[in-house]
């Protein structure tokens, strides 16, 4: 197992983690862990059961038993997220779901309950892991740790564009406020706060387009994993 490579991609939302991870997963044909989706699904499951997002014991129990599957949904890295047999892929992608996830994520017992589930994604031929604490806590042994950052303003603009492309209306001021609030909560919590691992490569994507970020990361991957076998 120790020789199965892992690439971790951490950072706040809106830095391009999702795009980079799906690029890496498609290129390398490795397994993919979207750890944020686990926190989002947990928050949704809690809401559906009427569990308060401050009820630590009930949330930890729910995290332990969470009936979630990631099912390949088509070409490339596309997956459907299935909760209790119901496809919730779109439902967990809303701003509300992201905020709810960020509210259940500081609970230590929740993070512990989700740990072994996340580690189980580490299988041959390799793993790309997207999140906040992939390189610091879940996979400290990772072969390559990337930490993406971007200015809060740029991230809010990107999010606005993503929402508009999906036909969802939003305004920049509200989005900026939400992003600032979520960053603050994710980076100041005591348990596994959002921060770069000491050995992470930090890339500021504020002034880079996605192709430039992809080119930089591809070089790093080739350097760090020289005998790379892509299928
Ligand atoms: O990456 P995302 O936007 O889907 O994550 C949603 C929230 O889940 C994020 O605001 C904080 C939490 N999260 C976390 O605490 N640890 C992770 N590894 C991933 C996400």
């Amino acid at each position: 197992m120790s020789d199965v490579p892992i690439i971790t991609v951490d950072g706040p939302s809106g830095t391009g983690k999702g795009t980079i991870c799906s690029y890496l997963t498609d290129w390398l044909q490795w397994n993919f862990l979207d750890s944020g989706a686990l926190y989002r699904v947990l928050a949704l499951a809690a809401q559906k059961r009427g569990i308060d997002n401050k009820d630590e014991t009930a949330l930890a129990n729910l995290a332990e038993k969470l009936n979630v599957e990631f099912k390949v949904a088509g070409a490339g890295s596309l997956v459907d997220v299935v909760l209790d047999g119901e496809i919730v892929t779109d439902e967990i992608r809303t701003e509300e779901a992201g905020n709810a996830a960020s509210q259940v994520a500081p609970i230590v017992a929740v993070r512990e309950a989700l740990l072994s589930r996340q580690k189980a994604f580490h299988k041959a031929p390799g793993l790309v892991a997207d999140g906040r604490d992939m390189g610091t806590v879940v996979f400290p042994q990772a072969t390559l740790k990337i930490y993406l950052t971007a200015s809060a303003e740029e991230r809010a603009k990107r999010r606005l564009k993503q929402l508009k492309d999906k036909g969802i209306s939003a305004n920049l001021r509200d989005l900026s406020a939400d992003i600032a609030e979520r960053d603050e909560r994710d980076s100041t919590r005591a348990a596994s706060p959002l921060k770069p691992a000491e050995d992470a490569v930090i890339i500021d994507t504020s002034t880079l387009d996605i192709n430039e970020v992809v080119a930089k990361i591809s070089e790093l991957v080739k350097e760090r994993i020289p005998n790379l076998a892509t299928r």
Side-chain angles (χ1 to χ4, degrees), residues 35-36 39-40 101-102 105 111 132-134 182 186 189:
S35 61
Y39 290 92
R40 286 171 183 260
S102 159
R111 303 198 74 84
R132 303 289 187 289
D133 61 343
M134 298 295 98
R182 186 131 74 96
D186 292 349
R189 68 183 180 217

Side-chain angles (χ1 to χ4, degrees), residues 11-76:
S13 54
T15 48
K17 282 181 298 155
T19 312
I20 290 301
C21 286
S22 65
Y23 163 76
L24 287 174
T25 309
D26 288 348
W27 171 38
L28 300 167
Q29 292 287 296
W30 286 5
N31 300 296
F32 173 51
L33 165 62
D34 176 359
S35 61
L38 280 176
Y39 290 92
R40 286 171 183 260
V41 168
L42 175 65
L44 178 67
Q47 190 203 332
K48 285 185 191 278
R49 287 168 174 74
I51 297 173
D52 189 274
N53 61 17
K54 292 199 177 57
D55 185 343
E56 302 199 358
T57 311
L59 287 166
N61 281 334
L62 184 59
E64 219 40 272
K65 296 193 210 97
L66 198 64
N67 176 14
V68 58
E69 285 170 279
F70 293 88
K71 282 198 175 155
V72 175

Side-chain angles (χ1 to χ4, degrees), residues 156 171-183:
N171 76 65
L172 196 58
R173 200 153 42 114
D174 290 351
L175 275 179
S176 299
D178 277 359
I179 284 181
E181 192 187 320
R182 186 131 74 96
D183 285 357

Side-chain angles (χ1 to χ4, degrees), residues 195-211:
K195 64 166 187 207
E198 273 176 19
D199 49 350
V201 180
I202 300 177
I203 302 175
D204 186 336
T205 70
S206 307
T207 59
L208 299 175
D209 73 26
I210 198 69
N211 295 325

